[in-house]
Amino acid sequence: MYNVPNENGRFGEFGGKFVPETLMLPLEEIERALEQALADESFRAEYVYILKEYSGRPTALTFAANMTKQLNGARLYLKREDLNHTGAHKINNAIGQALLAKRMGKKKLIAETGAGQHGVAAATVAARFGMECIVFMGEEDIKRQELNVFRMKLLGAEVVPVYSGNRTLKDATNEAIRYWVQHCDDHFYMIGSVVGPHPYPKMVREFQRIIGDEAKEQFIKREGKLPDVVVACVGGGSNAIGMFYPFLEDDVELVGVEAAGKGVNTPYHAATITKGTKGVIHGSMTYLLQDEYGQIIEPYSISAGLDYPGVGPEHAYLASIGRVRYESVTDEEALEAFQQLAREEGIIPAIESAHALAKAFQIAKQRSKDETVLICLSGRGDKDVQAMMNHLKGESDVAIVRHY
Amino acid sequence: MLQLSAITKTMFIPFLVAGDPHPDITVELALALQEAGADLLELGVPYSDPLADGPIIQRASARALQQRMTLPKAVELVAVMRKKGMKIPIIIFTYYNPVLQLGEESFFALAKKNGVDGVLIPDLPFEESEPIRRLSAETGLPLISLVAPTSKQRIEKIASCAQGFLYCVSSLGVTGIRDTLPAEIDQFLAEVKRYSRVPVAVGFGISTSEQVSMLKNYCDGVVIGSALVQKVEELADRLLQEETKQEALNEFRRYAQMLVAPLGK
């Protein structure tokens, strides 16, 4: 029986609460409120109702007919989280946490964001629930994601640039936590992934498992059986946990895909489980990229959403017990899959999700036609179009032109 | 073993980041603080992601990391300080991850060997500290505990296990310079003192002699970090040049003396 985390927030040796004393009481309050909410049928009903009437759930399960034909192997299915309101799975969690904040009487939200997807989701729910929202974003990411910054402002959020470190997601998270320490009496910290101190990894899993719950039901209805392989990309790992969790006790192969950047044998990657070591980051014991003295190393990936030096503690646990296999995909492979899905299926995926696609395509090719692969298409690629255009122009104009 | 129970006057507990702006200068700054009447030194180990620290100590950490300061080097700096005449107790202030990577047992052994008097880990709350407390008991190096304004019902549990001294976080937030401290701080400190069997020191935000003067009536020690670290930042260029170093050290010492003048140092 899979039953983690325990009452101390531990997934085996991972997880826990490694935070300054000031945050211990706020964390206990959230934990208590979460347990009550999860046991409360009306809370669950409201969450599901808002996901349906506001975000358009359930999201579709799409058979990728053309890709399946082209690869001539296992049949490929896409769980379409890209069809959510705001364009990614992030909204599932944002709605759940906003409802919890409301239940706790907190009307001010704090969020961190890398590419801006979680920031936009947080700003969106803040608008929907009449709350204030302050989003911390690295100055480097602000430059790279101008449109999402404008979106957040349009939605009424305040975006605070972060100038520390490399000025990306890790630093934005540090600053969000520092701000929370100062304002924990009346603010709710809405973390965007299955990372951070207990109860955040559990809470975000509970608000993302709807991906896997829906997908499992849809898949069985469609295929009359469970998928053979389920694939999802892993940065912090919230879409992957959401997708995997309902399959953990089934006879299904689970594959998490990390960002290999320019290659896992170069310094330029974000493959935390593949290459990292055990340590503490953002309040949680997990695998992370660090030097021998415990200083955290800046990761690299073409995908801002996977560009994180840690990983959710539950993934570290699932890797350690061998239940999920973690592999990695380079920028180049992800870019190829990004274009392939667009051309073959008419779906432009988020560059994060393209990492899962690339791995799934490799797997499908090697499997028989009786087998099936289910992929979590965690978000859409609108946010990436500009960057991909610049990237592909730089590399090979021809490659794009050739395919019309 | 850190013995602070015999203190009669409010202690001055300064904080420095090891290696800022250079390891050799840290030793001289420590000696200047001892001369200014410091009763105990908190020696901070620079960390890439100091969650409990505000911008001043973040910048100091970045400077120290550029000097390739590490946890083992910071601990070894204590032995250097001792050789140069540091007599007062020295506490190592470090985030948990560097301790984990060095190995908890190796860290305590190294600290003991180099004459460290205690350890403070700001991101290791009581619930996660069991293995470290065991090592602390084995080696006789106290683990300094923290209580915060949000600790409330946790105060009794934390205070009952406190060793060396108990560190009270003055207000919500990270380290830094604050113009005002919470009005109810006297009640908070009184409550902590009720449960604590060891001296109670207060830190976070204390940066003026007026604040020191107010606080000395309610606690056994004041921790001053960011204000001193900011002064180091200001003086960094002069500290690093041989011809201006002594003058800068004197200025640093006078600044520290001015801040803690109300303690009668």
Side-chain angles (χ1 to χ4, degrees):
Chain A
M1 173 81 182
Y2 187 84
N3 188 17
V4 287
N6 67 13
E7 69 278 11
N8 299 320
R10 291 293 184 133
F11 301 86
E13 57 186 329
F14 301 101
K17 294 183 204 178
F18 297 89
V19 294
E21 169 63 22
T22 307
L23 290 180
M24 291 303 280
L25 185 75
L27 286 172
E28 280 169 26
E29 286 170 355
I30 295 170
E31 194 178 341
R32 218 173 306 126
L34 176 70
E35 293 308 324
Q36 286 168 1
L38 292 176
D40 179 349
E41 213 31 67
S42 70
F43 179 85
R44 169 95 196 144
E46 192 178 4
Y47 166 71
V48 170
Y49 175 74
I50 293 170
L51 281 174
K52 181 175 177 223
E53 71 100 39
Y54 187 62
S55 189
R57 296 203 78 94
T59 57
L61 179 76
T62 302
F63 176 54
N66 298 334
M67 277 309 303
T68 297
K69 195 172 162 196
Q70 195 196 97
L71 296 171
N72 197 29
R75 291 194 301 283
L76 293 164
Y77 284 88
L78 307 172
K79 176 58 177 167
R80 301 289 306 281
E81 291 304 297
D82 61 317
L83 296 177
N84 268 303
H85 180 44
T86 72
H89 70 291
K90 294 287 186 189
I91 195 81
N92 304 334
N93 171 49
I95 288 172
Q97 288 199 45
L99 283 173
L100 191 68
K102 193 177 88 173
R103 196 181 165 97
M104 293 174 73
K106 310 246 171 172
K107 292 189 169 148
K108 295 174 180 174
L109 303 177
I110 306 166
E112 81 293 334
T113 199
Q117 291 306 100
H118 173 57
V120 168
T124 298
V125 298
R128 167 69 172 74
F129 291 97
M131 295 174 172
E132 283 178 34
C133 183
I134 177 165
V135 181
F136 290 87
M137 187 168 185
E139 197 230 0
E140 192 54 39
D141 288 333
I142 286 182
K143 278 194 269 177
R144 291 193 290 195
Q145 299 286 342
E146 221 182 323
L147 273 179
N148 269 344
V149 175
F150 182 68
R151 274 190 191 108
M152 287 183 264
K153 289 180 179 170
L154 202 59
L155 291 159
E158 183 190 348
V159 180
V160 179
V162 173
Y163 298 100
S164 56
N166 263 29
R167 308 179 175 190
T168 58
L169 177 58
K170 166 177 83 81
D171 313 297
T173 307
N174 287 340
E175 215 46 47
I177 294 175
R178 289 184 185 117
Y179 186 86
W180 184 35
V181 174
Q182 199 175 345
H183 299 94
C184 56
D185 47 346
D186 64 342
H187 281 60
F188 184 94
Y189 179 29
M190 178 182 276
I191 210 162
S193 191
V194 284
V195 300
H198 180 65
Y200 279 98
K202 178 184 176 178
M203 170 160 62
V204 178
R205 177 185 79 193
E206 293 303 317
F207 293 141
Q208 290 294 3
R209 63 171 291 176
I210 193 157
I211 303 172
D213 284 332
E214 277 179 16
K216 190 171 175 176
E217 198 187 317
Q218 290 166 319
F219 198 94
I220 291 172
K221 210 168 168 187
R222 170 85 194 228
E223 280 276 336
K225 59 169 188 171
L226 289 169
D228 294 288
V229 189
V230 177
V231 185
C233 66
V234 178
S238 69
N239 90 83
I241 284 288
M243 183 57 134
F244 294 162
Y245 187 62
F247 291 103
L248 284 175
E249 291 181 292
D250 297 321
D251 184 20
V252 171
E253 206 178 314
L254 302 174
V255 183
V257 185
E258 300 191 297
K262 296 180 196 292
V264 290
N265 295 319
T266 73
Y268 306 104
H269 65 78
T272 312
I273 293 177
T274 311
K275 299 291 280 191
T277 49
K278 196 177 143 188
V280 167
I281 181 170
H282 295 143
S284 187
M285 181 80 73
T286 184
Y287 289 118
L288 62 140
L289 301 176
Q290 57 183 329
D291 71 12
E292 61 176 308
Y293 298 109
Q295 307 292 346
I296 295 169
I297 295 173
E298 298 288 345
Y300 163 82
S301 166
I302 190 172
S303 144
L306 303 181
D307 198 356
Y308 182 69
V311 66
E314 190 162 10
H315 285 294
Y317 174 67
L318 289 168
S320 74
I321 62 169
R323 177 61 191 94
V324 178
R325 189 168 83 240
Y326 293 86
E327 301 194 17
S328 61
V329 152
T330 63
D331 286 357
E332 208 176 318
E333 292 168 316
L335 270 168
E336 178 61 28
F338 176 83
Q339 296 174 85
Q340 265 180 312
L341 196 75
R343 288 196 305 265
E344 298 298 332
E345 302 292 343
I347 298 169
I348 300 177
I351 189 66
E352 290 77 15
S353 322
H355 285 70
L357 290 164
K359 183 52 69 184
F361 295 167
Q362 289 167 14
I363 293 170
K365 251 191 242 179
Q366 296 159 0
R367 303 294 172 103
S368 78
K369 289 180 185 176
D370 309 331
E371 291 183 73
T372 51
V373 178
L374 170 63
I375 306 154
C376 187
L377 190 68
S378 56
R380 60 177 172 246
D382 302 28
K383 69 180 176 57
D384 300 311
V385 168
Q386 180 78 47
M388 293 310 117
M389 186 172 80
N390 296 340
H391 202 90
L392 294 171
K393 254 187 194 162
E395 282 193 347
S396 58
D397 263 326
V398 193
I400 317 178
V401 179
R402 198 176 58 211
H403 303 284
Y404 331 112
Chain B
M1 178 83 188
L2 188 57
Q3 284 297 347
L4 299 169
S5 44
I7 56 149
T8 50
K9 265 186 174 176
T10 308
M11 293 182 292
F12 167 34
I13 306 176
F15 169 94
L16 289 174
V17 175
D20 170 37
H22 185 278
D24 298 344
I25 305 289
T26 304
V27 175
E28 303 201 52
L29 291 169
L31 289 164
L33 288 168
Q34 177 172 264
E35 212 179 311
D39 296 279
L40 188 156
L41 174 70
E42 262 187 41
L43 187 62
V45 178
Y47 185 49
S48 55
D49 295 76
L51 273 186
D53 287 303
I56 294 170
I57 293 175
Q58 287 174 41
R59 288 199 300 272
S61 298
R63 287 193 296 272
L65 287 174
Q66 272 173 7
Q67 297 292 326
R68 304 188 178 279
M69 183 49 63
T70 62
L71 175 58
K73 281 190 199 168
V75 171
E76 283 158 8
L77 208 54
V78 174
V80 178
M81 288 178 179
R82 294 285 179 228
K83 261 185 215 142
K84 303 249 170 159
M86 275 296 272
K87 302 270 190 294
I88 59 173
I90 301 174
I91 302 290
I92 288 283
F93 175 108
T94 176
Y95 286 86
Y96 190 40
N97 198 45
V99 175
L100 269 178
Q101 304 316 313
L102 180 58
E104 293 161 301
E105 285 182 21
S106 309
F107 168 62
F108 272 91
L110 190 70
K112 184 101 185 150
K113 187 178 140 205
N114 283 277
V116 169
D117 298 283
V119 174
L120 195 163
I121 306 177
D123 57 346
L124 191 70
F126 185 82
E127 285 77 354
E128 301 286 0
S129 67
E130 206 269 318
I132 290 276
R133 273 187 284 135
R134 203 178 50 236
L135 281 167
S136 153
E138 278 168 28
T139 54
L141 287 187
L143 175 70
I144 308 300
S145 306
L146 292 100
V147 287
T150 51
S151 296
K152 305 207 168 126
Q153 60 269 37
R154 299 168 51 81
I155 292 175
E156 188 174 354
K157 173 173 66 181
I158 296 169
S160 68
C161 295
Q163 304 167 303
F165 68 95
L166 185 57
Y167 191 132
C168 288
V169 176
S170 71
S171 41
L172 297 182
V174 292
T175 60
I177 289 175
R178 301 211 219 308
D179 294 336
T180 54
L181 295 170
E184 62 281 10
I185 193 164
D186 53 336
Q187 293 159 35
F188 170 50
L189 291 172
E191 192 187 351
V192 175
K193 287 201 73 159
R194 206 160 48 240
Y195 293 114
S196 183
R197 294 165 307 170
V198 293
V200 170
V202 58
F204 277 49
I206 299 160
S207 48
T208 66
S209 58
E210 288 76 19
Q211 289 167 337
V212 171
S213 176
M214 184 274 281
L215 287 169
K216 71 171 183 194
N217 303 316
Y218 306 109
C219 64
D220 307 307
V222 285
V223 184
I224 303 185
S226 294
L228 291 168
V229 172
Q230 179 164 272
K231 195 71 185 170
V232 172
E233 181 172 58
E234 251 174 68
L235 296 169
D237 291 343
R238 287 163 63 203
L239 285 165
L240 287 166
Q241 282 178 27
E242 209 44 53
E243 53 277 21
T244 48
K245 187 172 79 180
Q246 196 49 51
E247 186 191 283
L249 283 168
N250 291 341
E251 191 175 330
F252 181 72
R253 191 197 67 235
R254 282 195 301 271
Y255 177 70
Q257 282 167 330
M258 180 276 289
L259 283 177
V260 297
L263 303 183
K265 298 291 176 187

